[in-house]
Amino acid sequence: MTIRMRSLKGGWNWTTQSRFWITRGALGAALVVIFVAMEWLSSIHEFMSVPITPWNPGLGVVFAFMLLYGPHFGLALFVGMIAAELIVVRTALQWPVILAVAAIISLVYAAAAVVLRRSLRLDAGLYHLRDLVVLLAGGIAAAFVSSALVAVLLLLDDRIALDNVATAATPLLLGDLIGISVVTPLTLRVVMLVQGRAWLAGYSKPLLAEVVFYAALSCAALLIIVGGESGSGLRYFYLLFVPVVLAAVRHGFDGACLALAVTQFALVGLMHHFGYDAKAFTEMQTLMLVLTGTALVVGAVVSERQQAEAQRRLAEHRLREKEMEASRAARFTLVSGMASALAHEINQPMTAARALARSAQHLLEGPSPDLQRARANLDNAISQIDHASDVMRRMREFLRRGRPHMSSFSIGETIENAVALARPDITSRGIAISWSIPDRIPMGHGDSVQIEQVILNLIRNATEALSGAAVSGGAIRVDAKYLPGPDRIEIAVGDNGPGVPAGLAEAMFEPLTTSKSEGLGLGLPICLAIVESHGGRLWMQSGEPGRTEFRFSLPLEPRHNLK
């Protein structure tokens, strides 16, 4: 059973590898056909039995596939060069020389592809200016090496004289450089776009009209350059910069590649049609090489900026998504925190109401019912329940609007209400409470119920501190005063209790920080949130034993009334 499974696995591997090499073989054969066809389209001259072409587009195509899929496509270049020599050029060179030239050129460019792919880490998509520079540098180096080696070979074979080496090698060098500079980037970009299925993503009627406009400009410039007397139009070559560079600026690297390819094919075709000689071809290709380098660099820079802008927009989009997620998380946290706050805030008045109701029940069930005290306890219990209801209503409004209910209120009445709500619990623990309010104090501006809750929480904290420490003669004092510059009201709640430990004082305004065994640690953070939502601040004035004091301030409106 195991042997059979291995056999099946081996068969699957063989099938996969055979399909791979069949596909590569078919692609290599297609490249040979393309190479020969492009050699036929190029105008070729022979100088002392040496084929001289103004440019080598077939080399540019095959070199691109070497960079994409590996140096073994150098074999397609080797076969294509031999086929072109026999079918297109019909050269008088001997077979050993033909094979040697084809071998030199194919091996040099295969080696260049290996260096660019593995050592220089060329990104075949040419998404950055660095990759374009690496490609052009590698192509230039390979063109120089191959041209020099071919020249040396022909020199050793007595095909050319030493004085004619530069004459024969220069057109060959320029033809390879132009072929690589113009066709290789275009081929790489086309293959990448086809693989990504994005080659028609930017198609539109306005774009088609723009392409027609560029083509018209290029044709007009080419007719001016090559339509006149042979060689006289070279001084107008700069006219080609307008449509080519404009296409590069408008559409980046892809626009530059396409514009250069169209311009180069049209230039070669027109020069061949008007019968330009090899020398004129060489001069024109030198200028074309300058145009090619300029347009490719401009296009690469524009594409990099476009990519950077796209990445910036993508980052902003992701940031907005993260902000929305954070907002949803914040709302969830807010609801969770408000639920805890409500539980904390409602628990106190409801506990007091329950204690008052139970006390009234005992007073009524005794042998001599004390109706007056029972009625007072019940009235106080109703006040506690009303306060809890008010807290619920105001908290619901705060959640709905996101801000406290702002209105003018009396500071004196607010303090008195808070003291009245806390007094039953305070007096039952044997603690004294007093308060001091100036006769003429400005009206407060804010949510009176929330401010009352802050005062009540501070009083209850003081009560629990005094009761927990069993302080004899415990006393609580509430003071309010007006302070100018800036206009504000400052309210202080102090006691003569045990004080606040130094370690707790630094974190006491943070949630879940408490010194009580059954506390939630939410009282002071809630008070802080309420005060800050009113534009004020809350702080501990003193934590020393015997004179603990908390204060909070509330800003006043520019125009405030005095009471």
Side-chain angles (χ1 to χ4, degrees):
M1 186 68 176
T2 305
I3 296 175
R4 183 179 179 184
M5 290 178 65
R6 288 179 179 175
S7 177
L8 289 173
K9 184 176 180 181
W12 180 83
N13 284 337
W14 180 87
T15 302
T16 303
Q17 292 176 2
S18 63
R19 288 177 180 175
F20 173 80
W21 287 112
I22 289 173
T23 302
R24 289 299 172 92
L27 181 57
L31 289 177
V32 171
V33 174
I34 292 173
F35 184 90
V36 174
M38 287 191 168
E39 288 293 306
W40 178 76
L41 288 174
S42 301
S43 176
I44 296 178
H45 306 268
E46 279 200 353
F47 176 76
M48 299 180 65
S49 300
V50 179
I52 298 176
T53 177
W55 77 310
N56 199 342
L59 172 64
V61 173
V62 180
F63 188 57
F65 279 86
M66 290 185 194
L67 295 173
L68 285 169
Y69 303 116
H72 52 268
F73 279 103
L75 181 61
L77 178 60
F78 177 78
V79 175
M81 291 184 66
I82 295 175
E85 291 287 339
L86 296 176
I87 298 172
V88 179
V89 181
R90 297 180 182 178
T91 179
L93 292 174
Q94 300 297 319
W95 270 102
V97 178
I98 294 175
L99 294 176
V101 170
I104 288 173
I105 294 176
S106 57
L107 288 174
V108 167
Y109 282 100
V114 171
V115 172
L116 292 177
R117 280 165 54 95
R118 298 180 182 177
S119 300
L120 300 179
R121 305 294 181 184
L122 173 70
D123 184 351
L126 302 180
Y127 297 107
H128 302 286
L129 180 61
R130 178 260 179 196
D131 297 313
L132 173 64
V133 173
V134 169
L135 171 62
L136 295 181
I140 291 171
F144 269 101
V145 172
S146 64
S147 299
L149 291 178
V150 169
V152 170
L153 175 65
L154 296 176
L155 184 63
L156 294 176
D157 192 52
D158 293 329
R159 291 290 173 179
I160 58 175
L162 184 61
D163 296 339
N164 296 320
V165 169
T167 305
T170 300
L172 184 63
L173 173 63
L174 288 176
D176 288 356
L177 288 178
I178 289 292
I180 292 174
S181 301
V182 173
V183 180
T184 299
L186 177 64
T187 304
L188 291 173
R189 290 300 302 153
V190 169
V191 173
M192 287 294 177
L193 293 175
V194 171
Q195 287 181 344
R197 298 183 179 181
W199 61 287
L200 285 178
Y203 172 77
S204 63
K205 290 183 178 179
L207 178 60
L208 181 60
E210 192 172 349
V211 170
V212 172
F213 173 70
Y214 293 147
L217 283 180
S218 298
C219 290
L222 286 170
L223 287 174
I224 294 174
I225 294 170
V226 302
E229 185 180 352
S230 180
S232 63
L234 289 178
R235 62 180 179 272
Y236 300 114
F237 191 87
Y238 64 87
L239 294 175
L240 282 177
F241 279 76
V242 176
V244 174
V245 175
L246 186 59
V249 171
R250 287 278 297 155
H251 301 286
F253 192 70
D254 293 342
C257 290
L258 184 59
L260 286 170
V262 172
T263 302
Q264 178 63 30
F265 273 104
L267 178 63
V268 172
L270 287 173
M271 292 186 72
H272 182 64
H273 174 74
F274 286 102
Y276 278 71
D277 57 14
K279 181 179 179 182
F281 266 115
T282 302
E283 293 175 351
M284 194 69 74
Q285 289 300 77
T286 304
L287 295 175
M288 188 64 197
L289 191 60
V290 175
L291 173 60
T292 300
T294 303
L296 289 178
V297 170
V298 171
V301 172
V302 171
S303 291
E304 275 198 342
R305 291 186 177 182
Q306 290 173 347
Q307 292 169 15
E309 178 64 19
Q311 291 175 356
R312 183 189 64 80
R313 289 195 297 266
L314 179 61
E316 288 181 351
H317 176 69
R318 290 177 177 174
L319 179 60
R320 286 193 294 269
E321 288 183 345
K322 294 297 182 182
E323 288 176 348
M324 292 177 63
E325 292 177 3
S327 178
R328 288 192 293 268
R331 287 196 296 270
F332 177 79
T333 303
L334 175 63
V335 171
S336 177
M338 286 299 180
S340 299
L342 283 173
H344 180 271
E345 296 301 321
I346 294 173
N347 181 62
Q348 292 181 347
M350 294 304 294
T351 300
R354 183 179 182 279
L356 290 168
R358 180 59 61 88
S359 175
Q361 184 182 23
H362 289 165
L363 290 172
L364 293 174
E365 290 177 352
S368 55
D370 191 341
L371 298 180
Q372 185 175 0
R373 288 185 58 193
R375 184 180 295 107
N377 285 350
L378 290 175
D379 289 342
N380 206 342
I382 292 172
S383 298
Q384 294 283 357
I385 294 172
D386 290 341
H387 177 71
S389 176
D390 227 357
V391 169
M392 280 286 293
R393 178 176 59 82
R394 292 298 174 87
M395 194 69 74
R396 186 168 57 248
E397 292 178 357
F398 177 74
L399 284 173
R400 185 170 58 248
R401 294 193 309 269
R403 60 181 184 275
H405 175 71
M406 307 298 285
S407 62
S408 297
F409 65 92
S410 169
I411 294 294
E413 291 180 2
T414 301
I415 293 176
E416 290 174 358
N417 291 338
V419 171
L421 290 171
R423 180 178 291 147
D425 183 44
I426 294 174
T427 54
S428 66
R429 302 181 190 227
I431 300 172
I433 185 169
S434 59
W435 63 95
S436 172
I437 305 170
D439 292 336
R440 295 179 60 81
I441 189 171
M443 297 284 287
H445 185 73
D447 192 321
S448 61
V449 173
Q450 290 189 3
I451 300 303
E452 180 182 306
Q453 193 65 30
V454 172
I455 300 170
L456 187 59
N457 275 343
L458 295 177
I459 292 175
R460 283 172 174 162
N461 284 347
T463 301
E464 292 173 358
L466 291 168
S467 179
V471 176
S472 178
I476 300 173
R477 182 172 180 82
V478 182
D479 296 309
K481 58 183 177 182
Y482 162 75
L483 295 174
D487 292 342
R488 65 192 185 278
I489 295 173
E490 193 171 280
I491 299 174
V493 178
D495 63 77
N496 59 347
V500 179
L504 182 63
E506 298 177 357
M508 61 192 317
F509 290 102
E510 298 179 4
L512 307 180
T513 301
T514 181
S515 59
K516 307 170 189 175
S517 58
E518 298 181 357
L520 293 176
L522 293 173
L524 284 177
I526 291 172
C527 292
L528 179 63
I530 291 174
V531 172
E532 288 182 346
S533 69
H534 284 73
R537 66 186 189 97
L538 170 65
W539 70 97
M540 183 179 68
Q541 180 70 17
S542 172
E544 297 180 8
R547 51 176 185 174
T548 305
E549 184 176 274
F550 287 86
R551 293 185 182 181
F552 69 93
S553 62
L554 298 174
L556 299 178
E557 290 184 298
R559 297 180 180 179
H560 52 269
N561 299 321
L562 295 180
K563 179 182 176 182

